[in-house]
PDB file of all heavy atoms in Angstrom:
ATOM      1  N   THR A  64      17.170  12.231   3.460  1.00  0.00           N
ATOM      2  CA  THR A  64      15.873  12.847   2.958  1.00  0.00           C
ATOM      3  C   THR A  64      15.464  14.047   3.773  1.00  0.00           C
ATOM      4  O   THR A  64      14.500  14.733   3.351  1.00  0.00           O
ATOM      5  CB  THR A  64      14.847  11.751   2.954  1.00  0.00           C
ATOM      6  OG1 THR A  64      14.726  11.124   4.343  1.00  0.00           O
ATOM      7  CG2 THR A  64      15.161  10.632   2.015  1.00  0.00           C
ATOM      8  N   VAL A  65      15.981  14.247   4.938  1.00  0.00           N
ATOM      9  CA  VAL A  65      15.580  15.412   5.700  1.00  0.00           C
ATOM     10  C   VAL A  65      16.392  16.631   5.391  1.00  0.00           C
ATOM     11  O   VAL A  65      17.610  16.681   5.561  1.00  0.00           O
ATOM     12  CB  VAL A  65      15.776  15.141   7.284  1.00  0.00           C
ATOM     13  CG1 VAL A  65      15.252  16.368   8.046  1.00  0.00           C
ATOM     14  CG2 VAL A  65      14.930  13.882   7.702  1.00  0.00           C
ATOM     15  N   ARG A  66      15.849  17.614   4.657  1.00  0.00           N
ATOM     16  CA  ARG A  66      16.577  18.835   4.220  1.00  0.00           C
ATOM     17  C   ARG A  66      17.104  19.704   5.363  1.00  0.00           C
ATOM     18  O   ARG A  66      17.950  20.441   5.143  1.00  0.00           O
ATOM     19  CB  ARG A  66      15.657  19.662   3.276  1.00  0.00           C
ATOM     20  CG  ARG A  66      15.435  19.024   1.919  1.00  0.00           C
ATOM     21  CD  ARG A  66      16.520  19.367   0.951  1.00  0.00           C
ATOM     22  NE  ARG A  66      16.569  20.750   0.596  1.00  0.00           N
ATOM     23  CZ  ARG A  66      16.067  21.122  -0.565  1.00  0.00           C
ATOM     24  NH1 ARG A  66      15.510  20.345  -1.500  1.00  0.00           N
ATOM     25  NH2 ARG A  66      16.087  22.407  -0.789  1.00  0.00           N
ATOM     26  N   GLY A  67      16.399  19.577   6.398  1.00  0.00           N
ATOM     27  CA  GLY A  67      16.737  20.281   7.645  1.00  0.00           C
ATOM     28  C   GLY A  67      15.618  20.634   8.509  1.00  0.00           C
ATOM     29  O   GLY A  67      14.636  19.849   8.444  1.00  0.00           O
ATOM     30  N   VAL A  68      15.604  21.568   9.307  1.00  0.00           N
ATOM     31  CA  VAL A  68      14.520  21.976  10.144  1.00  0.00           C
ATOM     32  C   VAL A  68      14.017  23.421  10.002  1.00  0.00           C
ATOM     33  O   VAL A  68      14.869  24.229   9.498  1.00  0.00           O
ATOM     34  CB  VAL A  68      14.870  21.760  11.683  1.00  0.00           C
ATOM     35  CG1 VAL A  68      15.160  20.232  11.985  1.00  0.00           C
ATOM     36  CG2 VAL A  68      16.046  22.597  12.072  1.00  0.00           C
ATOM     37  N   THR A  69      12.805  23.639  10.273  1.00  0.00           N
ATOM     38  CA  THR A  69      12.213  25.079  10.137  1.00  0.00           C
ATOM     39  C   THR A  69      11.692  25.426  11.456  1.00  0.00           C
ATOM     40  O   THR A  69      11.236  24.469  12.264  1.00  0.00           O
ATOM     41  CB  THR A  69      11.332  25.186   8.962  1.00  0.00           C
ATOM     42  OG1 THR A  69      11.000  26.505   8.746  1.00  0.00           O
ATOM     43  CG2 THR A  69      10.021  24.386   9.222  1.00  0.00           C
ATOM     44  N   ASN A  70      11.559  26.654  11.652  1.00  0.00           N
ATOM     45  CA  ASN A  70      11.068  27.277  12.948  1.00  0.00           C
ATOM     46  C   ASN A  70       9.553  27.547  12.709  1.00  0.00           C
ATOM     47  O   ASN A  70       9.205  28.472  11.950  1.00  0.00           O
ATOM     48  CB  ASN A  70      11.838  28.506  13.331  1.00  0.00           C
ATOM     49  CG  ASN A  70      11.287  29.001  14.722  1.00  0.00           C
ATOM     50  OD1 ASN A  70      10.119  28.764  15.193  1.00  0.00           O
ATOM     51  ND2 ASN A  70      12.205  29.802  15.390  1.00  0.00           N
ATOM     52  N   LEU A  71       8.659  26.796  13.236  1.00  0.00           N
ATOM     53  CA  LEU A  71       7.149  27.062  13.186  1.00  0.00           C
ATOM     54  C   LEU A  71       6.673  27.586  14.445  1.00  0.00           C
ATOM     55  O   LEU A  71       6.476  26.789  15.402  1.00  0.00           O
ATOM     56  CB  LEU A  71       6.411  25.749  12.834  1.00  0.00           C
ATOM     57  CG  LEU A  71       4.879  25.863  12.718  1.00  0.00           C
ATOM     58  CD1 LEU A  71       4.527  26.791  11.460  1.00  0.00           C
ATOM     59  CD2 LEU A  71       4.326  24.480  12.607  1.00  0.00           C
ATOM     60  N   ARG A  72       6.546  28.958  14.556  1.00  0.00           N
ATOM     61  CA  ARG A  72       6.093  29.557  15.770  1.00  0.00           C
ATOM     62  C   ARG A  72       6.756  28.997  17.078  1.00  0.00           C
ATOM     63  O   ARG A  72       6.142  28.741  18.093  1.00  0.00           O
ATOM     64  CB  ARG A  72       4.642  29.344  15.780  1.00  0.00           C
ATOM     65  CG  ARG A  72       3.823  30.093  14.651  1.00  0.00           C
ATOM     66  CD  ARG A  72       2.340  30.006  14.822  1.00  0.00           C
ATOM     67  NE  ARG A  72       1.836  28.653  14.630  1.00  0.00           N
ATOM     68  CZ  ARG A  72       1.528  28.099  13.435  1.00  0.00           C
ATOM     69  NH1 ARG A  72       1.607  28.856  12.385  1.00  0.00           N
ATOM     70  NH2 ARG A  72       1.046  26.791  13.336  1.00  0.00           N
TER      71      ARG A  72
END
Side-chain angles (χ1 to χ4, degrees):
T64 52
V65 181
R66 284 279 287 261
V68 296
T69 191
N70 186 337
L71 178 68
R72 297 185 287 274

